[in-house]
Amino acid sequence: MKFYKSVVACIYLTLVVLSCSENDATNPLFYNLGYQEEMNVSYGSHSDQKFDIYLPENRTPNTKVLILVHGGGWTAGDKSDMNNLKDLIKQDFPEIAIVNINYRLADQNNPPYPMQINDISSVVNFLKNHKNTYNISENYGFIGISAGAHLSLLWSYAFDFENNTNMVCSIVGPTDFTDPAYVNSEIPGFEELLDFYGVESDTEYLEEISPYHQATTSAPPTILFYGGVDPLIPISQGTHMRDKLNELNIINQYTLYPTSGHGWVGLELLDTWTKLKTFTQTHL
C-alpha cells in the first residue's frame, strides 16, 4: 500500500509539473513576476546591434511591447536619446514592455537601407524567439523620432509581413523622398543623404525607401507630428502621408505645430504626449 501511494504521489506531481509547463499562458502563478530590465542585449554581432528592455511586473504572455527608434539622420544618435520618452511610458503605461533599440549607423561604406530595416527585423525576430523568456506578446507598437520615425513607418508598412504592428508613431519623420519639396530643394544635407543611400535620382529606389509609397490597406494605425518651420522636414512630408493614409482608410491622426521646428518643448510637447498617450491606449 505504501508503495502504491508513493507511485500515485509521483504521478500526481509529474502531472502538475507538466500541466504548469503546458499551460503557462493561463496559469496565474506565472504572472507573479517582478519588474525586470536588461541593458545592452545583443541581437546581432555588431557593437551597435543592442537594445535595452524594460519588463513590467505581473507581465503575461499578453503583455504588449513598445519599440523606440532614435533619430540622428541615419548616421548618428543613440538609444539613450529616447530615455526621457522611455521614462514617460514607464510612468503612464506601467503594464507595457519597452524595447529601446540601437541600430547600425550609416556611413559612406554602409548605406542606411536595407541595413537599418534589417536591424529592426532582427530585433523583432529576437523578441519573438524570446517571448516566453520575457513573458511578452507579439503585439508591437513603434515610436520613432526623425530618422527613427522614417524607419518605424517604413518597417511597419513594408516589412511587417506578419502584421504584428498595432500602431506606429512618427515624430518629424521623412515619409516621401520623391516629394518635390525635397528633390528640388536646397535643404542642407539632403544631397549627402542621397549619397548615403547610394542613389542620385533613381525614382524607383526613392519610392522603395519612402513610407508614403509603401503604405497599403494593411498599414497599422498611425499618428503623425510635424513642425511648421522645420528646416529639415517640409510640411508636405506630413500632410501627404496623412492624405495617403486617408485614401487607404487607415486610422490616423495628424498634428502640425505651426511655429515649431525639428522638435519642440513646453505646451507643444505636453500636447504631443497627451495625444500619443491616448492613441497608444486606444490602438496598442
Side-chain angles (χ1 to χ4, degrees):
M1 180 64 70
K2 288 183 179 180
F3 176 76
Y4 173 78
K5 290 183 177 179
S6 296
V7 171
V8 171
C10 288
I11 293 174
Y12 173 76
L13 288 173
T14 301
L15 289 175
V16 169
V17 171
L18 289 175
S19 175
C20 288
S21 62
E22 291 174 0
N23 298 289
D24 289 356
T26 58
N27 192 331
L29 291 176
F30 285 82
Y31 296 173
N32 190 23
L33 298 173
Y35 172 82
Q36 180 183 349
E37 59 184 51
E38 295 182 17
M39 303 292 104
N40 294 312
V41 178
S42 294
Y43 65 88
S45 59
H46 193 279
S47 60
D48 285 337
Q49 292 176 308
K50 297 182 185 298
F51 65 74
D52 301 335
I53 186 167
Y54 304 85
L55 298 165
E57 64 179 355
N58 300 322
R59 58 192 176 277
T60 76
N62 295 319
T63 293
K64 297 173 182 179
V65 182
L66 270 176
I67 299 173
L68 309 184
V69 189
H70 71 79
W74 300 274
T75 64
D78 184 82
K79 55 186 168 61
S80 61
D81 300 338
M82 304 292 278
N83 279 345
N84 288 338
L85 178 58
K86 175 261 297 179
D87 290 339
L88 269 177
I89 297 169
K90 286 176 63 178
Q91 171 184 295
D92 289 354
F93 293 101
E95 75 285 2
I96 290 176
I98 305 167
V99 177
N100 190 11
I101 76 169
N102 270 347
Y103 48 86
R104 287 171 291 176
L105 301 177
D107 56 36
Q108 291 292 350
N109 299 316
N110 299 284
Y113 181 82
M115 178 177 68
Q116 293 168 350
I117 287 295
N118 290 341
D119 280 356
I120 294 179
S121 294
S122 294
V123 168
V124 172
N125 289 335
F126 186 99
L127 294 174
K128 288 182 178 181
N129 291 335
H130 292 80
K131 67 177 183 178
N132 292 332
T133 301
Y134 290 137
N135 216 32
I136 56 176
S137 73
E138 294 184 8
N139 295 314
Y140 308 115
F142 282 88
I143 302 177
I145 297 177
S146 193
H150 161 258
L151 294 172
S152 297
L153 291 172
L154 183 60
W155 192 89
S156 298
Y157 292 170
F159 295 91
D160 180 12
F161 302 118
E162 297 181 8
N163 293 320
N164 290 130
T165 305
N166 288 354
M167 58 153 284
V168 58
C169 169
S170 167
I171 301 175
V172 297
T175 63
D176 182 8
F177 292 118
T178 68
D179 184 348
Y182 258 149
V183 177
N184 299 326
S185 77
E186 297 180 356
I187 294 176
F190 185 64
E191 290 185 2
E192 288 80 2
L193 168 64
L194 294 185
D195 288 341
F196 276 123
Y197 270 104
V199 297
E200 292 182 359
S201 58
D202 186 333
T203 300
E204 182 177 349
Y205 187 81
L206 292 177
E207 289 180 354
E208 184 176 342
I209 63 175
S210 297
Y212 173 87
H213 292 282
Q214 297 303 316
T216 67
T217 55
S218 64
T222 302
I223 185 168
L224 308 163
F225 298 95
Y226 290 87
V229 290
D230 191 329
L232 299 175
I233 310 297
I235 292 176
S236 55
Q237 292 288 292
T239 56
H240 289 178
M241 192 72 253
R242 174 202 62 195
D243 294 346
K244 179 66 173 289
L245 293 171
N246 285 337
E247 290 174 10
L248 295 170
N249 292 317
I250 300 300
I251 294 170
N252 72 91
Q253 185 175 334
Y254 169 79
T255 299
L256 176 70
Y257 301 110
T259 61
S260 295
H262 199 64
W264 40 84
V265 296
L267 293 177
E268 287 85 358
L269 186 59
L270 177 61
D271 182 73
T272 297
W273 178 241
T274 300
K275 290 176 178 176
L276 178 53
K277 180 179 176 181
T278 300
F279 197 86
T280 302
Q281 289 171 329
T282 303
H283 299 291
L284 183 62

